[in-house]
Amino acid sequence: MAPSSSESPHVVILPFMAKGHTIPLLHLTRLLFLHRSDIAVTIFTTHANSPFIRQSLHDTKASVIDLTFPQNFHPEIPQGVESVDKLPSQSLFIPFAVATKFLQPEFERVIESLQPNVSCIISDAFFPWSLDIALKLSIPRLDFAGCSNFCIIFYDILMCQEFLVDSDDELFSLAPSFPNIKLTKNDIEPEFTHAQPGEHTDFYTDVFTATNKSKGTIRNSFYELEPEFVDYWNKEKPLEAWCVGPLCLAATKVVSSEKPMWIQWLDEMSEDKNCVLYVAFGSLSEITIEQFREIAIGLENSGEHFLWVVRLPSEDEFMSEFEERVKGRGLLVKNQWVDQAEILSHECVSGFMSHCGWNSVLESICESVPMLGFPITADQHLNARMVEEYFRIGVKVVTRNGSVRGFIGSECIENKVKELMDIEGEKGKDMRKNVKKLNEKARNAMVEGGSSWHTLNLLIDEVICKKT
């Protein structure tokens, strides 16, 4: 199915059903059109996810094809749930991800009929089954992983070696190539530190196998952010890592006739010369009501102004009373979607308390906002450690016994918030200086002639448009 020399390049993009995975690939779609006017892009999704993707790309020439998602494949996943953020519990992620394999036959039938012929498949890493189709149809597959080079390298190393420490909180070196990078077992999900045979291990084994057999891997990062990790990967691995981000810088600005109430509130804070801490933990993070209360107490006792976008698991009298007590100094935006980049770009936002999902880390860098890491799951603990110790653009919470994993007390939150928001303190000045430098490097990487711009051009020429 390789395209003939007279055909325009045609890229198929297969995003995973989670906003944090989908949105960067929609940004990449825009970049492809920007770099090659003659390129065709087809996005595959499911019926329930289609409206969001179509609306996001309505002003582009991208085509969107809907696949039929399986129903009744798991007793605990309700019918009609077609995205991770709609799952009753994130413990059901693996059964959901495994079930996407039922999309394979329809995807294969449709992709064979597309015109012009498909030049390349860009597949989320969580669809390892797309490799089978790519190999069968002789189409190069590019793997997309929405996390850092550091994280991918760590887990790749982890798949091949055992831990050299017994304690979950004892520091150890990532690898001889990175002697200054110290981690603990608690920076890694328990399913990897205490791996057992079963669906979880099988799924991630398939993911890593498919990645390593792909034509290359696209990373939402930029060379200047992680040079030693990009160099390590491209030296040690047979497939190249193509850093084409931060993809959030390709987002289009949405101009609204009326400002959301939280932006209006930030405007008021700005008029009063107040610095504001933005607090958000992503759309997938599961936090107990007890932990919410500790966060609230810590924020209240810090004395800082804050905007907290919160997904409360249930109504709670304590949180309602807290909201009333902090009125005027703190604003809670409950169970609503917000434009995070718009908030981070506001002139009065001086800190970001975050779960440290990779998209949030990049958005914080791109708006020069230092971070307070409150990691919860997945790669977030690794990212939080990078934020504090490698990038030196923030701090992170710890438990009362000093561990990076577990219940976080209000006194730690209070102290870390004060540390982050101390603009005139030595550490506060250093964090802001460092994040501003990374901001400049990120923006330079994405403009014409920058490292990410150049890398995407090479990717288009050497993989997408290469005649076979």
Side-chain angles (χ1 to χ4, degrees), residues 234-264:
N234 287 334
K235 178 182 177 183
E236 299 293 330
K237 305 298 291 185
L239 73 161
E240 187 162 358
W242 305 83
C243 293
V244 299
L247 292 170
C248 58
L249 290 179
T252 55
K253 299 292 183 182
V254 178
V255 180
S256 176
S257 58
E258 184 176 349
K259 292 182 179 179
M261 66 90 173
W262 48 88
I263 298 297
Q264 295 177 38

PDB file of all heavy atoms in Angstrom, residues 234-264:
ATOM      1  N   ASN A 234      18.524   7.534  21.000  1.00  0.00           N
ATOM      2  CA  ASN A 234      18.888   7.434  19.586  1.00  0.00           C
ATOM      3  C   ASN A 234      20.213   6.722  19.350  1.00  0.00           C
ATOM      4  O   ASN A 234      20.492   6.265  18.244  1.00  0.00           O
ATOM      5  CB  ASN A 234      18.905   8.825  18.952  1.00  0.00           C
ATOM      6  CG  ASN A 234      17.509   9.387  18.750  1.00  0.00           C
ATOM      7  OD1 ASN A 234      16.550   8.643  18.621  1.00  0.00           O
ATOM      8  ND2 ASN A 234      17.392  10.708  18.745  1.00  0.00           N
ATOM      9  N   LYS A 235      21.008   6.600  20.410  1.00  0.00           N
ATOM     10  CA  LYS A 235      22.256   5.841  20.307  1.00  0.00           C
ATOM     11  C   LYS A 235      22.037   4.359  20.612  1.00  0.00           C
ATOM     12  O   LYS A 235      22.607   3.486  19.945  1.00  0.00           O
ATOM     13  CB  LYS A 235      23.288   6.418  21.272  1.00  0.00           C
ATOM     14  CG  LYS A 235      24.614   5.668  21.273  1.00  0.00           C
ATOM     15  CD  LYS A 235      25.582   6.248  22.293  1.00  0.00           C
ATOM     16  CE  LYS A 235      26.887   5.458  22.349  1.00  0.00           C
ATOM     17  NZ  LYS A 235      27.811   5.986  23.398  1.00  0.00           N
ATOM     18  N   GLU A 236      21.191   4.076  21.611  1.00  0.00           N
ATOM     19  CA  GLU A 236      21.042   2.710  22.105  1.00  0.00           C
ATOM     20  C   GLU A 236      19.930   1.915  21.430  1.00  0.00           C
ATOM     21  O   GLU A 236      19.942   0.695  21.455  1.00  0.00           O
ATOM     22  CB  GLU A 236      20.789   2.726  23.619  1.00  0.00           C
ATOM     23  CG  GLU A 236      21.909   3.354  24.444  1.00  0.00           C
ATOM     24  CD  GLU A 236      23.184   2.535  24.412  1.00  0.00           C
ATOM     25  OE1 GLU A 236      23.078   1.300  24.268  1.00  0.00           O
ATOM     26  OE2 GLU A 236      24.276   3.124  24.532  1.00  0.00           O
ATOM     27  N   LYS A 237      18.947   2.598  20.847  1.00  0.00           N
ATOM     28  CA  LYS A 237      17.781   1.907  20.308  1.00  0.00           C
ATOM     29  C   LYS A 237      17.816   1.902  18.785  1.00  0.00           C
ATOM     30  O   LYS A 237      18.296   2.854  18.160  1.00  0.00           O
ATOM     31  CB  LYS A 237      16.495   2.583  20.785  1.00  0.00           C
ATOM     32  CG  LYS A 237      16.401   2.713  22.299  1.00  0.00           C
ATOM     33  CD  LYS A 237      16.385   1.360  22.998  1.00  0.00           C
ATOM     34  CE  LYS A 237      15.116   0.616  22.740  1.00  0.00           C
ATOM     35  NZ  LYS A 237      15.050  -0.653  23.515  1.00  0.00           N
ATOM     36  N   PRO A 238      17.275   0.868  18.159  1.00  0.00           N
ATOM     37  CA  PRO A 238      17.289   0.795  16.694  1.00  0.00           C
ATOM     38  C   PRO A 238      16.285   1.734  16.035  1.00  0.00           C
ATOM     39  O   PRO A 238      16.409   2.027  14.847  1.00  0.00           O
ATOM     40  CB  PRO A 238      16.910  -0.671  16.421  1.00  0.00           C
ATOM     41  CG  PRO A 238      16.135  -1.094  17.633  1.00  0.00           C
ATOM     42  CD  PRO A 238      16.745  -0.355  18.788  1.00  0.00           C
ATOM     43  N   LEU A 239      15.267   2.198  16.777  1.00  0.00           N
ATOM     44  CA  LEU A 239      14.306   3.121  16.190  1.00  0.00           C
ATOM     45  C   LEU A 239      14.535   4.517  16.749  1.00  0.00           C
ATOM     46  O   LEU A 239      14.883   4.682  17.923  1.00  0.00           O
ATOM     47  CB  LEU A 239      12.867   2.676  16.472  1.00  0.00           C
ATOM     48  CG  LEU A 239      12.295   2.829  17.881  1.00  0.00           C
ATOM     49  CD1 LEU A 239      10.778   2.775  17.822  1.00  0.00           C
ATOM     50  CD2 LEU A 239      12.819   1.740  18.803  1.00  0.00           C
ATOM     51  N   GLU A 240      14.326   5.508  15.901  1.00  0.00           N
ATOM     52  CA  GLU A 240      14.639   6.880  16.294  1.00  0.00           C
ATOM     53  C   GLU A 240      13.498   7.507  17.066  1.00  0.00           C
ATOM     54  O   GLU A 240      12.322   7.261  16.803  1.00  0.00           O
ATOM     55  CB  GLU A 240      14.941   7.719  15.056  1.00  0.00           C
ATOM     56  CG  GLU A 240      15.438   9.116  15.386  1.00  0.00           C
ATOM     57  CD  GLU A 240      16.126   9.786  14.227  1.00  0.00           C
ATOM     58  OE1 GLU A 240      16.260   9.141  13.165  1.00  0.00           O
ATOM     59  OE2 GLU A 240      16.535  10.946  14.375  1.00  0.00           O
ATOM     60  N   ALA A 241      13.848   8.359  18.044  1.00  0.00           N
ATOM     61  CA  ALA A 241      12.871   9.178  18.752  1.00  0.00           C
ATOM     62  C   ALA A 241      12.834  10.546  18.085  1.00  0.00           C
ATOM     63  O   ALA A 241      13.856  11.215  17.969  1.00  0.00           O
ATOM     64  CB  ALA A 241      13.255   9.308  20.229  1.00  0.00           C
ATOM     65  N   TRP A 242      11.648  10.944  17.662  1.00  0.00           N
ATOM     66  CA  TRP A 242      11.462  12.218  16.972  1.00  0.00           C
ATOM     67  C   TRP A 242      10.762  13.178  17.930  1.00  0.00           C
ATOM     68  O   TRP A 242       9.567  13.035  18.201  1.00  0.00           O
ATOM     69  CB  TRP A 242      10.615  12.025  15.714  1.00  0.00           C
ATOM     70  CG  TRP A 242      11.133  10.997  14.755  1.00  0.00           C
ATOM     71  CD1 TRP A 242      10.947   9.647  14.815  1.00  0.00           C
ATOM     72  CD2 TRP A 242      11.919  11.230  13.583  1.00  0.00           C
ATOM     73  NE1 TRP A 242      11.565   9.021  13.755  1.00  0.00           N
ATOM     74  CE2 TRP A 242      12.160   9.974  12.980  1.00  0.00           C
ATOM     75  CE3 TRP A 242      12.432  12.376  12.982  1.00  0.00           C
ATOM     76  CZ2 TRP A 242      12.899   9.835  11.810  1.00  0.00           C
ATOM     77  CZ3 TRP A 242      13.166  12.240  11.812  1.00  0.00           C
ATOM     78  CH2 TRP A 242      13.389  10.984  11.234  1.00  0.00           C
ATOM     79  N   CYS A 243      11.487  14.142  18.461  1.00  0.00           N
ATOM     80  CA  CYS A 243      10.917  15.120  19.398  1.00  0.00           C
ATOM     81  C   CYS A 243      10.370  16.299  18.608  1.00  0.00           C
ATOM     82  O   CYS A 243      11.132  17.065  18.016  1.00  0.00           O
ATOM     83  CB  CYS A 243      11.975  15.590  20.393  1.00  0.00           C
ATOM     84  SG  CYS A 243      12.520  14.302  21.525  1.00  0.00           S
ATOM     85  N   VAL A 244       9.049  16.465  18.605  1.00  0.00           N
ATOM     86  CA  VAL A 244       8.400  17.473  17.768  1.00  0.00           C
ATOM     87  C   VAL A 244       7.562  18.458  18.596  1.00  0.00           C
ATOM     88  O   VAL A 244       6.722  19.168  18.058  1.00  0.00           O
ATOM     89  CB  VAL A 244       7.509  16.800  16.698  1.00  0.00           C
ATOM     90  CG1 VAL A 244       8.339  15.913  15.787  1.00  0.00           C
ATOM     91  CG2 VAL A 244       6.382  15.997  17.348  1.00  0.00           C
ATOM     92  N   GLY A 245       7.792  18.515  19.899  1.00  0.00           N
ATOM     93  CA  GLY A 245       6.975  19.366  20.763  1.00  0.00           C
ATOM     94  C   GLY A 245       7.725  20.571  21.280  1.00  0.00           C
ATOM     95  O   GLY A 245       8.841  20.863  20.841  1.00  0.00           O
ATOM     96  N   PRO A 246       7.091  21.274  22.236  1.00  0.00           N
ATOM     97  CA  PRO A 246       5.831  20.962  22.902  1.00  0.00           C
ATOM     98  C   PRO A 246       4.634  21.202  21.969  1.00  0.00           C
ATOM     99  O   PRO A 246       4.445  22.300  21.471  1.00  0.00           O
ATOM    100  CB  PRO A 246       5.780  21.932  24.094  1.00  0.00           C
ATOM    101  CG  PRO A 246       7.146  22.512  24.212  1.00  0.00           C
ATOM    102  CD  PRO A 246       7.729  22.473  22.840  1.00  0.00           C
ATOM    103  N   LEU A 247       3.824  20.153  21.803  1.00  0.00           N
ATOM    104  CA  LEU A 247       2.720  20.236  20.860  1.00  0.00           C
ATOM    105  C   LEU A 247       1.646  21.223  21.307  1.00  0.00           C
ATOM    106  O   LEU A 247       0.878  21.715  20.483  1.00  0.00           O
ATOM    107  CB  LEU A 247       2.115  18.841  20.649  1.00  0.00           C
ATOM    108  CG  LEU A 247       3.044  17.860  19.912  1.00  0.00           C
ATOM    109  CD1 LEU A 247       2.483  16.451  19.958  1.00  0.00           C
ATOM    110  CD2 LEU A 247       3.266  18.300  18.477  1.00  0.00           C
ATOM    111  N   CYS A 248       1.600  21.539  22.601  1.00  0.00           N
ATOM    112  CA  CYS A 248       0.608  22.510  23.073  1.00  0.00           C
ATOM    113  C   CYS A 248       0.825  23.885  22.436  1.00  0.00           C
ATOM    114  O   CYS A 248      -0.113  24.683  22.349  1.00  0.00           O
ATOM    115  CB  CYS A 248       0.627  22.616  24.592  1.00  0.00           C
ATOM    116  SG  CYS A 248       2.214  23.090  25.308  1.00  0.00           S
ATOM    117  N   LEU A 249       2.038  24.166  21.961  1.00  0.00           N
ATOM    118  CA  LEU A 249       2.300  25.453  21.320  1.00  0.00           C
ATOM    119  C   LEU A 249       1.681  25.535  19.926  1.00  0.00           C
ATOM    120  O   LEU A 249       1.663  26.607  19.318  1.00  0.00           O
ATOM    121  CB  LEU A 249       3.805  25.718  21.242  1.00  0.00           C
ATOM    122  CG  LEU A 249       4.491  26.001  22.585  1.00  0.00           C
ATOM    123  CD1 LEU A 249       5.981  26.226  22.384  1.00  0.00           C
ATOM    124  CD2 LEU A 249       3.854  27.206  23.281  1.00  0.00           C
ATOM    125  N   ALA A 250       1.168  24.406  19.429  1.00  0.00           N
ATOM    126  CA  ALA A 250       0.480  24.415  18.132  1.00  0.00           C
ATOM    127  C   ALA A 250      -1.022  24.609  18.299  1.00  0.00           C
ATOM    128  O   ALA A 250      -1.755  24.638  17.305  1.00  0.00           O
ATOM    129  CB  ALA A 250       0.742  23.109  17.389  1.00  0.00           C
ATOM    130  N   ALA A 251      -1.479  24.738  19.532  1.00  0.00           N
ATOM    131  CA  ALA A 251      -2.914  24.903  19.779  1.00  0.00           C
ATOM    132  C   ALA A 251      -3.403  26.239  19.240  1.00  0.00           C
ATOM    133  O   ALA A 251      -2.673  27.239  19.255  1.00  0.00           O
ATOM    134  CB  ALA A 251      -3.204  24.805  21.272  1.00  0.00           C
ATOM    135  N   THR A 252      -4.635  26.262  18.772  1.00  0.00           N
ATOM    136  CA  THR A 252      -5.246  27.507  18.329  1.00  0.00           C
ATOM    137  C   THR A 252      -5.917  28.185  19.517  1.00  0.00           C
ATOM    138  O   THR A 252      -6.503  27.527  20.373  1.00  0.00           O
ATOM    139  CB  THR A 252      -6.301  27.254  17.241  1.00  0.00           C
ATOM    140  OG1 THR A 252      -7.263  26.300  17.725  1.00  0.00           O
ATOM    141  CG2 THR A 252      -5.649  26.711  15.988  1.00  0.00           C
ATOM    142  N   LYS A 253      -5.804  29.484  19.579  1.00  0.00           N
ATOM    143  CA  LYS A 253      -6.424  30.246  20.653  1.00  0.00           C
ATOM    144  C   LYS A 253      -7.921  30.390  20.376  1.00  0.00           C
ATOM    145  O   LYS A 253      -8.329  30.809  19.298  1.00  0.00           O
ATOM    146  CB  LYS A 253      -5.792  31.632  20.775  1.00  0.00           C
ATOM    147  CG  LYS A 253      -4.304  31.605  21.107  1.00  0.00           C
ATOM    148  CD  LYS A 253      -4.061  31.078  22.517  1.00  0.00           C
ATOM    149  CE  LYS A 253      -2.577  31.130  22.872  1.00  0.00           C
ATOM    150  NZ  LYS A 253      -2.302  30.589  24.217  1.00  0.00           N
ATOM    151  N   VAL A 254      -8.720  30.017  21.365  1.00  0.00           N
ATOM    152  CA  VAL A 254     -10.173  30.149  21.248  1.00  0.00           C
ATOM    153  C   VAL A 254     -10.583  31.512  21.784  1.00  0.00           C
ATOM    154  O   VAL A 254     -10.346  31.834  22.956  1.00  0.00           O
ATOM    155  CB  VAL A 254     -10.903  29.031  22.019  1.00  0.00           C
ATOM    156  CG1 VAL A 254     -12.413  29.221  21.926  1.00  0.00           C
ATOM    157  CG2 VAL A 254     -10.486  27.665  21.497  1.00  0.00           C
ATOM    158  N   VAL A 255     -11.171  32.314  20.925  1.00  0.00           N
ATOM    159  CA  VAL A 255     -11.613  33.651  21.320  1.00  0.00           C
ATOM    160  C   VAL A 255     -13.102  33.590  21.664  1.00  0.00           C
ATOM    161  O   VAL A 255     -13.936  33.262  20.817  1.00  0.00           O
ATOM    162  CB  VAL A 255     -11.366  34.676  20.198  1.00  0.00           C
ATOM    163  CG1 VAL A 255     -11.842  36.060  20.634  1.00  0.00           C
ATOM    164  CG2 VAL A 255      -9.886  34.699  19.823  1.00  0.00           C
ATOM    165  N   SER A 256     -13.417  33.877  22.920  1.00  0.00           N
ATOM    166  CA  SER A 256     -14.801  33.830  23.380  1.00  0.00           C
ATOM    167  C   SER A 256     -15.324  35.246  23.586  1.00  0.00           C
ATOM    168  O   SER A 256     -14.580  36.148  23.988  1.00  0.00           O
ATOM    169  CB  SER A 256     -14.896  33.052  24.691  1.00  0.00           C
ATOM    170  OG  SER A 256     -16.209  33.075  25.204  1.00  0.00           O
ATOM    171  N   SER A 257     -16.605  35.418  23.300  1.00  0.00           N
ATOM    172  CA  SER A 257     -17.216  36.740  23.471  1.00  0.00           C
ATOM    173  C   SER A 257     -17.364  37.105  24.938  1.00  0.00           C
ATOM    174  O   SER A 257     -17.448  38.284  25.290  1.00  0.00           O
ATOM    175  CB  SER A 257     -18.584  36.779  22.785  1.00  0.00           C
ATOM    176  OG  SER A 257     -19.431  35.766  23.310  1.00  0.00           O
ATOM    177  N   GLU A 258     -17.405  36.091  25.789  1.00  0.00           N
ATOM    178  CA  GLU A 258     -17.557  36.332  27.228  1.00  0.00           C
ATOM    179  C   GLU A 258     -16.531  35.505  28.001  1.00  0.00           C
ATOM    180  O   GLU A 258     -16.396  34.310  27.785  1.00  0.00           O
ATOM    181  CB  GLU A 258     -18.968  35.970  27.690  1.00  0.00           C
ATOM    182  CG  GLU A 258     -19.229  36.286  29.154  1.00  0.00           C
ATOM    183  CD  GLU A 258     -20.661  35.998  29.564  1.00  0.00           C
ATOM    184  OE1 GLU A 258     -21.497  35.763  28.661  1.00  0.00           O
ATOM    185  OE2 GLU A 258     -20.942  35.996  30.775  1.00  0.00           O
ATOM    186  N   LYS A 259     -15.818  36.150  28.898  1.00  0.00           N
ATOM    187  CA  LYS A 259     -14.814  35.451  29.687  1.00  0.00           C
ATOM    188  C   LYS A 259     -15.475  34.524  30.695  1.00  0.00           C
ATOM    189  O   LYS A 259     -16.473  34.903  31.324  1.00  0.00           O
ATOM    190  CB  LYS A 259     -13.938  36.455  30.440  1.00  0.00           C
ATOM    191  CG  LYS A 259     -13.028  37.302  29.570  1.00  0.00           C
ATOM    192  CD  LYS A 259     -12.182  38.225  30.449  1.00  0.00           C
ATOM    193  CE  LYS A 259     -11.246  39.081  29.603  1.00  0.00           C
ATOM    194  NZ  LYS A 259     -10.431  39.990  30.458  1.00  0.00           N
ATOM    195  N   PRO A 260     -14.930  33.316  30.894  1.00  0.00           N
ATOM    196  CA  PRO A 260     -15.436  32.451  31.962  1.00  0.00           C
ATOM    197  C   PRO A 260     -15.271  33.145  33.313  1.00  0.00           C
ATOM    198  O   PRO A 260     -14.397  34.005  33.481  1.00  0.00           O
ATOM    199  CB  PRO A 260     -14.542  31.211  31.864  1.00  0.00           C
ATOM    200  CG  PRO A 260     -13.918  31.263  30.516  1.00  0.00           C
ATOM    201  CD  PRO A 260     -13.812  32.703  30.157  1.00  0.00           C
ATOM    202  N   MET A 261     -16.087  32.757  34.263  1.00  0.00           N
ATOM    203  CA  MET A 261     -16.080  33.449  35.555  1.00  0.00           C
ATOM    204  C   MET A 261     -14.733  33.322  36.258  1.00  0.00           C
ATOM    205  O   MET A 261     -14.325  34.215  37.002  1.00  0.00           O
ATOM    206  CB  MET A 261     -17.219  32.943  36.434  1.00  0.00           C
ATOM    207  CG  MET A 261     -17.131  31.504  36.884  1.00  0.00           C
ATOM    208  SD  MET A 261     -16.253  31.294  38.433  1.00  0.00           S
ATOM    209  CE  MET A 261     -16.546  29.529  38.734  1.00  0.00           C
ATOM    210  N   TRP A 262     -13.992  32.220  36.016  1.00  0.00           N
ATOM    211  CA  TRP A 262     -12.698  32.071  36.683  1.00  0.00           C
ATOM    212  C   TRP A 262     -11.645  33.006  36.085  1.00  0.00           C
ATOM    213  O   TRP A 262     -10.761  33.456  36.790  1.00  0.00           O
ATOM    214  CB  TRP A 262     -12.220  30.620  36.656  1.00  0.00           C
ATOM    215  CG  TRP A 262     -12.297  29.933  35.329  1.00  0.00           C
ATOM    216  CD1 TRP A 262     -11.362  29.904  34.339  1.00  0.00           C
ATOM    217  CD2 TRP A 262     -13.405  29.163  34.846  1.00  0.00           C
ATOM    218  NE1 TRP A 262     -11.793  29.173  33.274  1.00  0.00           N
ATOM    219  CE2 TRP A 262     -13.043  28.695  33.556  1.00  0.00           C
ATOM    220  CE3 TRP A 262     -14.646  28.804  35.374  1.00  0.00           C
ATOM    221  CZ2 TRP A 262     -13.897  27.900  32.789  1.00  0.00           C
ATOM    222  CZ3 TRP A 262     -15.499  28.012  34.610  1.00  0.00           C
ATOM    223  CH2 TRP A 262     -15.121  27.575  33.327  1.00  0.00           C
ATOM    224  N   ILE A 263     -11.771  33.315  34.794  1.00  0.00           N
ATOM    225  CA  ILE A 263     -10.866  34.298  34.194  1.00  0.00           C
ATOM    226  C   ILE A 263     -11.212  35.698  34.700  1.00  0.00           C
ATOM    227  O   ILE A 263     -10.320  36.518  34.964  1.00  0.00           O
ATOM    228  CB  ILE A 263     -10.918  34.229  32.657  1.00  0.00           C
ATOM    229  CG1 ILE A 263     -10.451  32.842  32.164  1.00  0.00           C
ATOM    230  CG2 ILE A 263     -10.060  35.332  32.043  1.00  0.00           C
ATOM    231  CD1 ILE A 263      -9.005  32.510  32.508  1.00  0.00           C
ATOM    232  N   GLN A 264     -12.496  35.967  34.844  1.00  0.00           N
ATOM    233  CA  GLN A 264     -12.908  37.246  35.419  1.00  0.00           C
ATOM    234  C   GLN A 264     -12.354  37.399  36.837  1.00  0.00           C
ATOM    235  O   GLN A 264     -11.910  38.481  37.229  1.00  0.00           O
ATOM    236  CB  GLN A 264     -14.433  37.351  35.429  1.00  0.00           C
ATOM    237  CG  GLN A 264     -15.065  37.373  34.047  1.00  0.00           C
ATOM    238  CD  GLN A 264     -16.585  37.405  34.100  1.00  0.00           C
ATOM    239  OE1 GLN A 264     -17.163  38.076  34.961  1.00  0.00           O
ATOM    240  NE2 GLN A 264     -17.241  36.685  33.207  1.00  0.00           N
TER     241      GLN A 264
END
